[in-house]
């Protein structure tokens, strides 16, 4: 049900390469109306673009006397527009690649679904998956809601300009939020399939350990069945890794621009927090509460993205490596099983799952923590610049 909600949001925002019908993407003549709708939607985003930078925000708002606030406002808008356009261009110029990726992802999920034997382990996994998907859906809607409400709190005598600005910002914000949520969901679905593979591998290990303790030899049937299952799991794991790398390659530029947008937004939010804290900006209790929820939703979204990227890269390899080591002491299995196990281990060792953003830096938890600390450094620089301006004004 939660995945259906995500799918509906993707269709409404024009973020799907094509609608689905009975597990298949619509192509040819049936796709025409969706392409027309997407073109109109993207045309609307272009139409409201000039209203993103209204004059009253610079001359008749709380930031009119603070050049740093104006700078962060401009930079936040520019990075959001860049991220939005990366998604728009991706939809039009790489639609065929997105369709191929979607079909391969659906086929991979169908293969992994056959591993589910409705045991307690798989039920627990499904509950965890529903919990994370619910968080993604909740934080996306919460971000849009509190972002819209905070925009309405900006005072202005120019009502028409304010309405146009709010419309432009909300439409762009909705598009960017669900674009980031969509990428997170795709990666999380692949992580879900990887977790299913790990459960199946644990079950195989448990079965062979049981046979090791209670039998002198492993029957031909059981040996062949175990070898076949290990080979199948190896094939599915390699396919999962290949799909993860394909997702990162396809969405490399949008992810890079989304991270840049998150960094600038982070600086903007923390700096606003400092301004609210020292009462440089006049505000009410209601606006303070809204501001706190904006910060919470932003960091919640960032943590979800950070965790899902870490899960499909570093943690996935570590977990699979630990599971493969549990087979090393088995003696009843045949030589073919050990050879297949070595192939699995060599593949894991030679094809580590790491993601370099545009080939510049590895995106993992350590990088994310360094990014948060760097935001604080930037805010301290801005605060010092702000204090210097105030001293000059007094003199």
């Amino acid at each position: 049900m939660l995945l259906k909600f995500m799918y509906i949001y993707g269709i409404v925002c024009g973020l799907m390469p094509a609608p689905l019908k009975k597990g298949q993407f619509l192509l040819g003549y049936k796709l025409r109306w969706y392409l027309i709708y997407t073109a109109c939607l993207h045309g609307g985003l272009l139409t409201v673009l000039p209203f993103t930078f209204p004059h009253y925000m610079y001359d008749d708002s709380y930031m009119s006397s603070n050049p740093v606030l104006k700078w962060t406002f401009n930079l936040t808008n520019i990075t959001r527009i860049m991220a939005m356009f990366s998604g728009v261009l991706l939809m039009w110029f790489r639609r065929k690649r997105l369709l191929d990726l979607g079909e391969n992802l659906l086929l991979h999920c169908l293969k992994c679904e056959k591993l589910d034997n409705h045991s307690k382990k798989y039920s627990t996994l499904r509950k965890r998956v529903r919990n994370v998907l619910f968080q993604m859906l909740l934080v996306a809607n919460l971000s849009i809601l509190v972002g819209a409400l905070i925009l309405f709190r900006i005072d202005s005598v120019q009502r028409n300009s304010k309405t146009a600005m709010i419309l432009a910002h909300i439409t762009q914000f909705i598009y960017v939020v669900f674009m980031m949520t969509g990428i997170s969901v795709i990666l999380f679905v692949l992580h879900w399939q990887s977790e299913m593979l790990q459960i199946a591998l644990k079950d195989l290990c448990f079965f062979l350990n049981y046979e090791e303790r209670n039998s002198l030899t492993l029957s031909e049937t059981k040996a062949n069945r175990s070898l076949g299952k290990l080979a199948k799991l190896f094939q599915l794991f390699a396919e999962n890794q290949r799909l993860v790398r394909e997702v990162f390659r396809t969405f490399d530029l949008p992810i890079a621009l989304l991270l840049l947008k998150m960094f600038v937004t982070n600086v903007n939010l923390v700096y606003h927090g400092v301004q609210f804290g020292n009462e440089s900006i006049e505000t009410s209790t209601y606006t303070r509460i809204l501001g706190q929820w904006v910060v919470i939703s932003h960091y919640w979204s960032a943590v979800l993205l950070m965790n899902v990227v870490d899960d499909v890269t570093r943690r996935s390899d570590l977990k699979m490596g630990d599971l493969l080591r549990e087979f090393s002491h088995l003696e009843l299995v045949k030589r073919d099983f050990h050879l297949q196990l070595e192939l699995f281990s060599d593949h894991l060792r030679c094809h580590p799952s790491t993601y370099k953003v545009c080939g510049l830096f590895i995106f993992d938890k350590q990088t994310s923590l360094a990014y948060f600390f760097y935001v604080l450094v930037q805010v301290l620089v801005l605060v010092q610049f702000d204090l210097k301006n105030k001293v000059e004004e007094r003199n």
Side-chain angles (χ1 to χ4, degrees):
M1 180 61 72
L2 292 171
L3 285 175
K4 285 183 180 179
F5 275 118
M6 297 291 188
Y7 166 73
I8 292 169
Y9 281 127
I11 289 291
V12 172
C13 294
L15 291 167
M16 291 288 292
L20 284 167
K21 187 175 182 180
K22 296 180 180 178
Q24 298 290 329
F25 285 107
L26 297 180
L27 299 172
Y29 176 79
K30 297 177 181 179
L31 183 59
R32 184 180 66 175
W33 292 109
Y34 179 70
L35 292 178
I36 293 172
Y37 166 75
T38 306
C40 293
L41 179 68
H42 292 164
L45 290 172
L46 287 173
T47 303
V48 300
L49 201 57
F51 303 108
T52 309
F53 304 91
H55 291 293
Y56 83 87
M57 286 296 292
Y58 305 96
D59 305 327
D60 184 35
S61 72
Y62 70 94
M63 64 175 64
S64 57
S65 60
N66 191 322
V68 177
L69 286 174
K70 293 177 184 178
W71 177 78
T72 56
F73 175 75
N74 287 335
L75 208 54
T76 302
N77 289 336
I78 290 169
T79 53
R80 184 176 62 247
I81 291 169
M82 289 170 62
M84 181 186 72
F85 270 107
S86 70
V88 171
L89 295 175
L90 183 70
M91 285 296 114
W92 288 107
F93 292 102
R94 291 194 177 183
R95 191 176 297 273
K96 180 65 170 61
R97 184 172 178 175
L98 290 172
L99 286 169
D100 292 339
L101 177 62
E103 289 173 357
N104 292 333
L105 180 60
L106 288 171
L107 185 61
H108 179 69
C109 291
L110 289 174
K111 290 178 184 177
C112 292
E113 191 178 8
K114 296 177 183 178
L115 299 173
D116 191 346
N117 57 10
H118 304 287
S119 64
K120 187 177 179 181
K121 293 178 182 178
Y122 289 100
S123 300
T124 305
L125 176 61
R126 282 194 295 273
K127 289 178 182 177
R128 279 171 38 214
V129 167
R130 281 195 293 268
N131 179 45
V132 176
L133 287 175
F134 176 75
Q135 288 186 57
M136 288 180 177
L137 190 62
L138 176 64
V139 75
N141 287 281
L142 181 64
S143 298
I144 293 167
L145 177 63
V146 295
L149 291 175
I150 206 80
L151 285 173
F152 281 108
R153 297 297 298 173
I154 298 175
D155 295 326
S156 173
V157 294
Q158 304 177 29
R159 294 191 177 277
N160 292 334
S161 297
K162 178 181 177 180
T163 303
M165 186 272 288
I166 291 173
L167 178 64
H169 279 241
I170 289 177
T171 51
Q172 293 167 11
F173 195 50
I174 289 172
Y175 192 89
V176 170
V177 165
F178 283 114
M179 183 172 76
M180 188 171 72
T181 305
I183 294 172
S184 299
V185 168
I186 292 170
L187 291 172
F188 184 69
V189 167
L190 285 169
H191 170 61
W192 177 13
Q193 311 311 307
S194 178
E195 289 280 308
M196 292 177 71
L197 294 175
Q198 291 170 23
I199 291 174
L201 198 61
K202 285 179 185 177
D203 290 343
L204 177 61
C205 184
F206 178 80
F207 168 75
L208 292 174
N209 276 307
Y210 177 82
E211 292 293 323
E212 188 93 11
R213 289 193 303 269
N214 296 280
S215 305
L216 295 176
T217 58
L218 193 64
S219 67
E220 188 74 22
T221 304
K222 291 180 179 179
N224 291 335
R225 190 170 61 190
S226 300
L227 177 61
K229 189 167 185 179
L230 181 64
K232 181 182 177 182
L233 293 175
F234 173 39
Q235 181 185 2
L236 289 174
F237 178 74
E239 187 177 272
N240 186 277
Q241 278 192 317
R242 189 165 58 250
L243 284 170
V244 169
R245 287 193 292 269
E246 182 64 24
V247 169
F248 283 134
R249 277 196 299 268
T250 304
F251 296 103
D252 195 23
L253 182 60
I255 291 174
L257 292 175
L258 284 169
L259 290 175
L260 178 62
K261 178 254 174 192
M262 286 175 64
F263 174 77
V264 174
T265 304
N266 207 349
V267 173
N268 194 5
L269 288 176
V270 177
Y271 184 71
H272 269 80
V274 172
Q275 295 295 306
F276 283 126
N278 61 23
E279 298 182 350
S280 298
I281 302 174
E282 293 183 7
T283 184
S284 63
T285 304
Y286 175 68
T287 308
R288 284 178 180 274
I289 293 172
L290 281 179
Q292 289 168 2
W293 277 107
V294 168
V295 173
I296 289 170
S297 62
H298 173 77
Y299 282 104
W300 194 354
S301 175
V303 168
L304 286 173
L305 178 63
M306 178 183 68
N307 283 338
V308 74
V309 171
D310 194 63
D311 285 337
V312 296
T313 53
R314 185 185 63 86
R315 289 185 64 188
S316 177
D317 285 359
L318 289 176
K319 286 182 179 180
M320 193 59 72
D322 290 339
L323 282 173
L324 291 177
R325 277 191 285 272
E326 293 182 13
F327 289 89
S328 59
H329 68 281
L330 297 175
E331 297 178 357
L332 292 183
V333 293
K334 295 184 177 179
R335 184 171 178 272
D336 290 342
F337 188 91
H338 282 293
L339 288 174
Q340 186 66 48
L341 203 61
E342 286 180 17
L343 284 174
F344 203 152
S345 301
D346 289 342
H347 176 85
L348 189 63
R349 186 166 49 252
C350 297
H351 299 85
S353 297
T354 55
Y355 171 49
K356 268 194 172 184
V357 181
C358 289
L360 298 175
F361 59 91
I362 294 175
F363 182 34
D364 53 17
K365 281 191 174 180
Q366 288 80 4
T367 308
S368 301
L369 290 173
Y371 146 78
F372 285 122
F373 284 119
Y374 189 65
V375 167
L376 296 177
V377 173
Q378 295 301 309
V379 171
L380 288 173
V381 172
L382 291 176
V383 170
Q384 290 175 352
F385 180 73
D386 192 29
L387 291 172
K388 181 183 176 183
N389 285 343
K390 288 181 179 179
V391 171
E392 290 177 352
E393 288 175 4
R394 287 174 184 173
N395 294 334

